[in-house]
């Protein structure tokens, strides 16, 4: 068990690491040749231009202004200066709301820490449970003196913890509710203030049923002309361009290689570069690299042309999905929220995602397949969660003093040195865990993609919730009850329902020191490392040196990155979980968490303002998930506290504690009903107001023209002009007429739009216009 | 433990009881003076008229046609003769689909029973596990020889049971899916073929926000004119007429008493009846009954008039809810399925229930209160479930041979007689349980009402699902593991997660005989008793003798009753649960269940055709619940089988069995996504087709006039004519104009309907008409 001294060493190491990172950042960021690494957002916005264009040669690369070195910490206040509305304007609502997660952390834990330190810590400190335990030969660390462990079993002092648990819960719920309210209103205001955007008018229709008489495009048009006669405007079918996209991608990378070799050749004219054509260029025939790649590109160009023609001609390449646009936002809101036909697996409508966040290749998955995919992924995730732990536990057991001594006895003399021992105990377990976790979000993202979500934001949300569960099982539970997750599962199945919280509850105070070091490694040094952007820095300079020829190349080399919601948010949630679990048990942990939240808030605010460039904007659609996870952390913390208390012979507290999860469950239900619809549905009133305002302001706006180009597969983006007539020309041909009567080949159709209109006196008859 | 002989006795008793009931029914139903008890449905339909009007005096009361006595069983084929479409026409979809629950029972269990008897029973019978166990002094009954108990631990024969479990599961799922599909299509066809009904055009709006400038009625009208300009037609506000309804109810009962005493007086002119005015007429001043009630009625009349005036005048009596009607079904479908404003707790819209199934007094409950009420009721239900068991267990323990001998030793000589012993063992436990259950549905219904549901069908559905849970915990689990439910809960909490199914699983084969007797008492004799309608029969004749003066009185005395979904469906579900649990374990139970389903199908089909008169028609909205509960029974059965198998040292089967619940869970998810929307949402296509057809057929129908009278609180029904102008006259005044422009007092409103229309070029402008 780690002592206070161990923690001190770990803290020193981590603080020093963090300070080194921050210092390096402070110095690197004011060097002009790093400008594009640390301020790419401003370049992308077009506000900042390259510093390489002006000034003396040296000062282009190195900052010689000594004054700026003295002010090296001034990025901190600068990061805090931008007010929130400006931030939303600058970086989007997603980023602004993402920052609020850190703020919530501060709002929840600062008052809780104050309360805990002023009440709980003295109560714990003045007890002597550990003194008594020592007589029975139980060892304990200094930190335990401040924790609930120091209270003797059956003591009346546990009432303090009980009351505090209530206080913490109510405070957390209060903050959560206020925040939900605030974010919901921010989202609504954001959507309300937004400019005209295609997705406001557009609905994604999936599972269009096949019709022997009509093409998908005709079928869609007929359906919506009949069922939304006053609102339907136009539509775009979706092409299966996955192969084309792959070809384009391949061409791009080949082009890159060609550029590289050409640059190499221009620098060294004597030696014409050559490559081997085999696997990874390791063996095979040796050919001239430039010629080879030129030939390759030509071949690819041909293939691309051919594939394009195929997509154009081939009806089987039209997927049974379409983006249907309406004349008004009201019409789109109605269509997105209603069921169209008897069969709820056909003509599925949902609000279209922003064009840039559409995940194109999933658009054609049929309904039954979706259920099967979901099942498969759930099972796969179950196995991933419970078997991924085996290597972690193995390495962690190696990384303990005893483990190393056992597996590598020759290291014993080194390890036994006091300092190194502290390093190993305070540092290694966290690092091991960390390394394992780096690759996980990408795996989970692939799983989400397989599951068939169609927008990037929903992909990320699903990956995030899986990551959270993984973190909970493997990092949180896995660290508390060591042993592989499968062993845990097995032992949990064999334990009784009220024994499980006890088993975990008892281990919680013991593991406090481990989590403190984990917070320092992951939360302090890790966050400080984030601001340094070591990887992008190195890659930028490598690219800059080897590949960049034009200003556009330099732009592409920047790689501003973005908040990877699915990778970062679940990690923050772990801190919420730790904070809430340890608040009534070992309040010593809280300051470490508060420092994490404060530092992370600062760092990410800086990064969001200066670096990150979000790929898409979902309007904070992730908030219900964030809220739900904090609530579940709260419930977990109470169940574990209940388990801990009951082992302390404070069983009379159980009925009081059991009421808390029930109350919180209903608090969650209430919040869900009250605020979640703002994130899922689109109120008609808002749509109507926007429609009305817009009609008044721009009565002659050509909406049809505006919308027709909106949802085109990115590989067609560059050449939609010439393909336009053929791809989505169905509506274009008659773009002058407001309403179209489409001849239908089907004779059995009982209602046709023409009849339906002529016989309805009070509504407009398109055939008359 | 009951032996085969015990079961034989119980079976004989129950079969005799059932036959007596059926015979009594066969004779009573052909007596003319019982005609209104056994054929009320036909009277209500106006097809059958009273047999008292024609023929000789005696034959008015007693059937003298001996031939009809010989054909006394011909009600059975007659009940089966009516084809389903005619049945739907005759009794409504709810009843027709309700019968399908019994049919499903047959469809599931007949093949399962055949399979089980041809494979499982021989496998069990030819084993000799019990012979071996007998050597170890374990007692067993004859039935156990046919059950899984007869297979020795660790035998390879368990693979048969495993394969059978898979076969049963797949068959059940197949039947369930086919049936869901069928019922969904029946519902859609039913809704499609329906006549014009007000609820097709009407949406219920709740939580209309208070507005200082406008009344509720104005506020509703403005809101929908602005946000559904092309579709809004009219609306009716809801009055808080609960007090008025109570007064009317009181007047009715007083009138009844008056009638009774007047009839008494006319029969016995000498003695003028008198009553005491105190509590329940037991003490207090003695007054003349007729005068007293006349005075009472006069007083009540005055109060009613006053209350009516109050409701008319008083703005605070207008509840923040309204029934909003639209010009088209499309408009109503859109409004019911969309969110209206930013605040998801205001302007809540949902499809209006049929006028006769509105539960008026719940219409005004605000949103927050709903959450709290739900919480309170969940907690209350929890306690009801776990403490209601104590008296049952107490009485059951008394009703056992040993219990009776202990508590009443003087009865010992009687009880010890073989026949009486069998009666007590085979009969009493079932009856005790039964008596306790009779009052439960009413309690659960009151709880649902408190929870705030607004339609009778949703009230019944909630009560039914609670009743099912109650049944599961107390009847099923409570009978398997005797002891109070709270003790069970406690022991479950203390047991490990995989110990619980084992504990229950082991007890299952032992309890087979108990459940067989339960099925015979509740399912055979009980159902046969249902057809006799003893209570309505007696009440009808009493009323007929004491109260009936006119033909109308006789009509009212009939009390046809109805299927009480919330009381009967959960009981059927118990049979599904028993059947599925026992199918792989003790297949002997299955024939008993099949007889129940067949008999019940026959009886209820007869009752539905001839007797019951449903209060409302929900279009089989209960089906998703029925489906869900059978699925959950399936999952429970598999978990218990898993528990049982693992105690039999057939642990290698666990991985195969664990896959089943997972598969079924996803089967449920699939069915939910595929079919449930048909029961919840209203496809726009259907609405559009109906609208179009109707416009073509009746272009000049006055929809506004039709809808304006639809949703009036029943107490106003008789006098809406004179109140009409004042109550919902807002729309009436201008019923000639197609669209109304309502002057609004508010000046800050940015959009008004007039502007919104004038500036939209392509859409109809009502102001121009």
């Amino acid at each position: 068990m780690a002592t206070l001294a161990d923690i001190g060493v770990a803290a020193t190491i981590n603080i020093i690491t963090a300070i080194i990172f921050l210092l390096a950042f402070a110095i690197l960021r004011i060097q002009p040749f790093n400008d594009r690494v640390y301020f790419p957002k401003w370049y992308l916005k077009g506000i900042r231009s390259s510093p390489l264009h002006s000034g003396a040669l040296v000062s282009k690369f190195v900052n010689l202004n000594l004054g700026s070195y003295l002010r090296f910490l001034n990025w901190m206040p600068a990061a805090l200066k931008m007010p929130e509305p400006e931030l939303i304007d600058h970086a989007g609502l997603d980023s602004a709301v993402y920052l609020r997660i850190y703020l919530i952390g501060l709002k929840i834990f600062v008052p809780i820490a104050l309360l805990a330190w002023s009440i709980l810590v003295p109560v714990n400190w003045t007890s002597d449970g550990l003194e008594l335990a020592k007589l029975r030969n139980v060892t304990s660390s200094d930190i335990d003196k401040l924790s609930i462990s120091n209270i003797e079993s059956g003591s009346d002092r546990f009432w303090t913890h009980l009351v505090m648990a209530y206080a913490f819960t109510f405070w957390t719920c209060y903050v959560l509710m206020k925040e939900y309210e605030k974010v919901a209103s921010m989202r609504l205001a954001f959507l309300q203030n937004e400019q005209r955007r295609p997705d406001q008018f557009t609905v994604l229709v999936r599972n269009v049923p096949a019709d022997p008489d009509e093409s998908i495009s005709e079928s869609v048009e007929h359906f919506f002309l009949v069922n939304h006669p006053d609102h339907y405007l136009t539509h775009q079918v979706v092409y299966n361009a996955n192969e084309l996209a792959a070809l384009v991608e391949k061409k791009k990378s080949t082009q890159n290689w060609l550029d590289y070799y050409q640059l190499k050749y221009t620098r060294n004219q004597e030696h014409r570069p050559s490559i081997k054509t085999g696997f990874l260029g390791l063996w095979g025939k040796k050919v001239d690299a430039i010629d080879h790649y030129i030939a390759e590109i030509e071949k690819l160009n041909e293939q691309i042309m051919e594939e394009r023609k195929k997509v154009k001609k081939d009806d089987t390449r039209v997927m049974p999905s379409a983006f249907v646009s309406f004349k008004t936002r009201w019409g789109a809101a109605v269509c997105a929220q209603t069921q169209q036909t008897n069969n709820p697996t056909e003509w599925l409508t949902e609000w279209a995602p922003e064009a840039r966040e559409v995940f194109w290749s999933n658009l054609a998955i049929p309904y039954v397949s979706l259920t099967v995919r979901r099942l498969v992924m759930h099972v796969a995730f179950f196995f991933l969660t419970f078997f991924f732990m085996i290597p972690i536990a193995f390495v962690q057991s190696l990384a303990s003093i005893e483990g190393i001594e056992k597996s590598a006895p020759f290291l014993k003399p080194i390890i036994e040195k006091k300092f190194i021992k502290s390093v190993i105990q305070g540092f290694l377990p966290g690092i091991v865990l960390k390394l394992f976790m780096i690759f996980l979000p990408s795996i989970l993202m692939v799983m989400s993609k397989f599951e068939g979500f169609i927008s990037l934001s929903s992909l990320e949300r699903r990956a995030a919730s899986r990551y959270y569960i993984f973190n909970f099982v493997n990092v949180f539970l896995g660290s508390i009850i060591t042993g592989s997750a499968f062993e845990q599962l097995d032992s949990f199945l064999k334990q009784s329902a009220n024994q499980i919280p006890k088993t975990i509850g008892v281990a919680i105070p013991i593991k406090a020191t481990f989590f403190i070091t984990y917070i320092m490694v992951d939360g302090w040094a890790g966050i400080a490392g984030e601001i340094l952007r070591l990887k992008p820095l190195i890659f930028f300079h490598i690219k800059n040196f080897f590949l960049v020829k034009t200003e556009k190349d330099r732009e592409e080399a920047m790689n501003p990155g973005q908040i990877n919601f699915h990778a970062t948010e679940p990690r923050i949630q772990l801190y919420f979980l730790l904070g809430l679990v340890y608040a009534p048990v070992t309040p010593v942990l809280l300051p470490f968490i508060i420092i994490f939240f404060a530092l992370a808030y600062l760092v990410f605010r800086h990064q969001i303002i200066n670096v990150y460039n979000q790929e898409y904007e979902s309007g904070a659609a992730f908030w219900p998930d964030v809220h739900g996870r904090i609530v579940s952390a709260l419930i977990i913390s109470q169940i574990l506290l209940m388990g801990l208390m009951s082992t302390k012979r404070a069983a009379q507290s159980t009925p009081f504690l059991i009421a808390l999860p029930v109350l919180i469950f209903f608090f969650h239900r209430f919040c869900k009903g009250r605020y979640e619809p703002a994130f899922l549905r689109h109120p008609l009133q808002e749509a109507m107001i926007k429609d009305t305002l817009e009609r008044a302001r721009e009565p002659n706006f050509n909406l049809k023209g505006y919308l027709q180009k909106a949802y085109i597969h990115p590989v067609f983006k560059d050449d939609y002009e010439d393909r336009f007539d053929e791809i989505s020309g169905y509506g274009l041909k008659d773009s002058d007429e407001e309403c179209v009567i489409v001849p239908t080949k089907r004779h059995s159709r009982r209602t046709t739009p023409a009849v339906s209109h002529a016989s309805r006196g009070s509504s407009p008859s398109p055939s008359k216009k």
Side-chain angles (χ1 to χ4, degrees), chain A:
Chain A
M1 194 173 296
T3 60
L4 258 189
D6 293 340
I7 289 183
V9 172
T12 317
I13 292 172
N14 282 298
I15 289 168
I16 289 171
T17 318
I19 287 173
I20 289 171
F21 284 157
L22 291 179
L23 272 180
F25 164 71
I27 290 160
L28 286 173
R29 71 182 266 279
I30 50 176
Q31 307 308 325
F33 69 95
N34 287 332
D35 217 44
R36 278 175 182 277
V37 178
Y38 293 113
F39 302 97
K41 179 86 181 168
W42 299 101
Y43 283 92
L44 289 173
K45 286 227 150 188
I47 294 167
R48 200 167 178 127
S49 66
S50 184
L52 293 178
H53 289 282
S54 59
L57 187 72
V58 181
S59 65
K60 273 182 196 169
F61 296 99
V62 182
N63 190 338
L64 299 174
N65 180 356
L66 288 176
S68 65
Y69 284 95
L70 292 174
R71 296 188 301 274
F72 70 95
L73 274 179
N74 69 353
W75 63 269
M76 287 189 178
L80 295 176
K81 238 190 302 184
M82 189 183 273
E84 197 168 46
E86 205 188 315
L87 187 69
I88 295 174
D89 214 46
H90 175 74
L93 187 67
D94 275 347
S95 307
V97 170
Y98 181 80
L99 284 177
R100 291 191 79 91
I101 305 177
Y102 297 107
L103 263 192
I104 274 205
L106 292 175
K107 280 182 194 166
I108 289 177
F109 289 114
V110 169
I112 286 185
L114 290 177
L115 202 61
W117 276 84
S118 59
I119 297 177
L120 278 188
V121 169
V123 168
N124 293 338
W125 181 257
T126 54
S127 295
D128 41 10
L130 292 175
E131 293 296 316
L132 297 172
K134 231 171 232 167
L135 300 178
R136 295 194 307 275
N137 232 352
V138 176
T139 58
S140 62
S141 77
D142 312 341
I143 282 184
D144 289 340
K145 278 220 71 166
L146 299 173
S147 86
I148 205 171
S149 316
N150 198 26
I151 299 197
E152 56 267 51
S153 289
S155 162
D156 278 342
R157 293 196 178 201
F158 285 119
W159 288 105
T160 328
H161 299 83
L162 189 73
V163 172
M164 284 294 112
Y166 267 85
F168 296 164
T169 302
F170 284 123
W171 173 249
T172 308
C173 286
Y174 174 77
V175 172
L176 278 176
M177 199 175 80
K178 282 279 153 212
E179 206 66 16
Y180 213 154
E181 195 175 342
K182 174 78 185 159
V183 173
S185 73
M186 276 167 77
R187 175 180 163 93
L188 290 168
F190 179 75
L191 296 178
Q192 191 64 17
N193 291 331
E194 255 179 344
Q195 292 301 303
R196 179 190 293 115
R197 263 174 29 181
D199 54 299
Q200 293 164 347
F201 296 90
T202 306
V203 162
L204 171 60
V205 183
R206 298 168 79 187
N207 292 8
V208 176
D211 189 312
D213 296 329
E214 296 180 314
S215 73
I216 296 283
S217 178
E218 285 166 332
S219 179
V220 168
E221 179 144 31
H222 289 163
F223 185 85
F224 285 94
L225 272 179
V226 170
N227 293 303
H228 295 267
D230 305 333
H231 306 286
Y232 172 76
L233 183 65
T234 181
H235 74 278
Q236 287 156 276
V237 292
V238 177
Y239 291 89
N240 184 350
N242 293 352
E243 283 177 40
L244 185 56
L247 284 174
V248 169
E249 195 53 38
K250 200 174 166 194
K251 182 186 159 189
K252 214 169 149 189
S253 98
T254 316
Q255 185 69 49
N256 252 355
W257 279 113
L258 178 62
D259 289 355
Y260 169 76
Y261 284 113
Q262 274 175 338
L263 202 69
K264 204 170 165 188
Y265 184 58
T266 49
R267 286 190 190 160
N268 181 4
Q269 296 273 1
E270 286 151 34
H271 180 71
R272 211 172 153 84
S274 63
I275 54 157
K276 287 171 183 167
T277 54
F279 178 71
L280 282 178
L282 293 177
W283 52 75
K285 214 172 60 175
K286 210 170 178 178
V287 293
D288 183 278
I290 294 176
D291 292 348
H292 172 74
Y293 281 114
I294 287 175
E296 279 281 297
I297 284 172
E298 243 162 60
K299 215 164 62 189
L300 279 170
N301 272 338
E302 257 168 52
Q303 283 176 333
I304 288 172
M305 288 299 285
E306 210 167 303
E307 181 67 25
R308 268 201 184 136
K309 264 185 218 149
K310 253 196 218 160
V311 173
K312 270 186 216 176
K313 296 272 162 64
D314 194 353
D315 258 4
T316 60
R317 293 298 187 88
V318 178
M319 301 208 267
S321 309
F323 289 95
V324 178
S325 298
F326 291 81
K327 284 176 198 154
T328 55
R329 291 178 182 85
W330 193 91
V334 161
C335 184
Q337 292 178 62
T338 50
Q339 189 182 337
Q340 307 304 312
T341 66
N342 277 345
N343 187 335
T345 63
E346 284 176 358
W347 296 106
L348 293 174
T349 53
E350 61 189 294
W351 207 277
E354 233 190 321
R356 37 184 186 152
E357 69 149 327
V358 175
F359 191 73
W360 294 89
S361 46
N362 274 353
L363 279 178
I365 300 172
Y367 187 81
V368 179
S369 166
L370 278 182
T371 314
V372 176
R373 280 159 179 256
R374 204 144 292 175
L375 166 63
V376 171
M377 279 305 108
H378 279 303
V379 173
F381 177 65
F382 175 83
F383 282 99
L384 178 70
T385 306
F386 282 94
F387 289 99
F388 196 78
M389 190 58 200
I390 295 173
I392 291 192
F394 175 69
V395 179
Q396 270 189 339
S397 71
L398 283 189
S400 70
I401 296 291
E402 297 78 19
I404 293 175
E405 284 178 0
K406 218 185 273 173
S407 58
F410 52 88
L411 287 176
K412 204 171 174 179
I414 307 171
I415 290 168
E416 288 290 301
K417 287 206 176 108
K418 211 166 173 211
F419 176 74
I420 289 175
K421 199 172 167 183
S422 299
V423 169
I424 289 172
Q425 277 189 329
F427 215 64
L428 269 181
I431 294 253
V432 166
L433 203 53
K434 189 80 198 145
L435 276 176
F436 271 102
M437 301 307 274
I438 283 172
F439 297 99
L440 187 65
S442 321
I443 300 169
L444 293 175
M445 196 68 182
V446 171
M447 286 170 66
S448 305
K449 280 177 185 164
F450 181 81
E451 225 175 310
F453 292 98
I454 51 132
S455 67
L456 295 180
S457 61
S458 51
L459 283 170
E460 294 204 339
R461 266 176 284 143
R462 170 52 66 106
S465 73
R466 289 241 163 92
Y467 192 14
Y468 176 70
I469 294 171
F470 187 93
N471 259 344
F472 173 70
V473 172
N474 285 312
V475 180
F476 182 72
L477 291 187
S479 303
I480 286 181
I481 314 147
T482 13
S484 82
F486 192 73
E487 278 168 32
Q488 280 171 46
L489 185 70
D490 196 48
S491 77
F492 281 158
L493 279 178
K494 284 190 184 136
Q495 278 177 354
S496 74
N498 64 356
Q499 192 58 44
I500 296 168
K502 277 185 198 169
T503 315
I504 306 171
V506 170
I508 281 177
I510 303 168
K511 287 287 171 178
T513 47
F514 167 75
F515 282 116
I516 289 174
T517 55
Y518 179 80
I519 291 167
M520 288 189 293
V521 173
D522 182 83
W524 296 8
I527 293 293
E530 175 68 38
I531 203 171
L532 191 58
R533 287 172 61 71
L534 212 58
K535 202 181 123 201
L537 180 73
I538 294 166
F539 273 74
F540 173 73
H541 286 298
I542 291 175
K543 276 189 189 164
N544 213 359
F545 188 75
F546 287 111
L547 288 173
V548 168
K549 288 166 301 184
T550 64
E551 195 63 14
K552 201 175 150 278
D553 289 350
R554 189 166 293 122
E555 197 112 308
E556 274 173 20
M558 270 189 334
N559 180 23
Q562 58 172 332
I563 306 165
N564 286 311
F565 179 79
H566 64 292
T568 48
E569 192 268 351
R571 275 170 52 199
I572 312 175
Q573 288 292 346
L574 190 63
Y575 292 94
F576 280 105
L577 180 64
L578 288 176
L580 290 170
V581 166
Y582 279 101
V585 176
T586 313
V588 183
L589 195 113
L590 291 177
F592 293 88
I593 284 181
I594 290 171
I595 291 171
F596 159 75
F597 277 119
L599 182 65
Y601 178 68
L602 203 64
V603 166
F604 278 97
R605 206 166 206 272
H606 174 266
Q607 299 293 79
I608 281 168
I609 292 172
N610 296 310
V611 182
Y612 297 149
N613 183 43
Q614 293 304 102
E615 249 181 71
Y616 63 87
E617 172 64 51
S618 72
F622 54 78
W623 194 261
D625 289 23
V626 173
H627 174 88
R629 289 199 266 273
I630 300 180
V631 168
S632 63
L634 205 51
I635 291 179
I636 290 164
S637 76
Q638 284 147 6
I639 291 172
L640 297 186
L641 181 64
M642 215 151 64
L644 177 61
M645 294 285 243
S646 64
T647 61
K648 288 279 193 177
R649 288 198 273 125
Q652 77 278 16
S653 62
T654 308
F656 293 97
L657 280 173
I658 219 162
L660 274 180
V662 176
L663 285 176
I664 289 161
F665 179 73
F666 278 86
F667 165 77
H668 180 61
R669 280 270 289 269
F670 171 77
C671 284
K672 202 179 162 80
R674 177 71 185 75
Y675 303 113
E676 201 177 274
F679 295 86
L680 299 174
R681 309 181 78 185
H682 304 265
L684 296 185
Q685 194 183 29
E686 302 288 305
M688 192 51 106
I689 292 171
K690 278 199 102 164
D691 286 339
T692 313
L693 278 176
E694 208 169 83
R695 264 199 304 276
R697 279 188 200 143
E698 297 174 79
N700 301 316
F701 183 74
N702 178 9
L703 192 60
K704 197 161 188 169
Y706 172 69
L707 290 172
Q708 224 143 17
K709 304 165 189 174
Y711 283 93
I712 290 177
H713 196 295
V715 292
F716 294 137
K717 267 279 162 65
D718 43 336
D719 65 340
Y720 72 82
E721 290 290 85
D722 58 302
R723 296 183 70 260
F724 206 52
D725 295 335
E726 278 145 295
I727 292 179
S728 51
Y730 209 91
L732 241 198
K733 284 173 212 148
D734 22 51
S735 62
D736 299 337
E737 304 165 42
E738 261 299 292
C739 289
V740 201
I741 299 167
V742 187
T744 166
K745 288 174 203 148
R746 235 189 269 110
H747 297 294
S748 63
R749 190 183 278 267
R750 283 193 294 174
T751 59
T752 64
V755 171
S756 82
H757 279 90
S759 59
R760 180 155 56 141
S762 62
S763 64
S765 168
S767 54
K768 286 181 202 156
K769 290 204 183 160

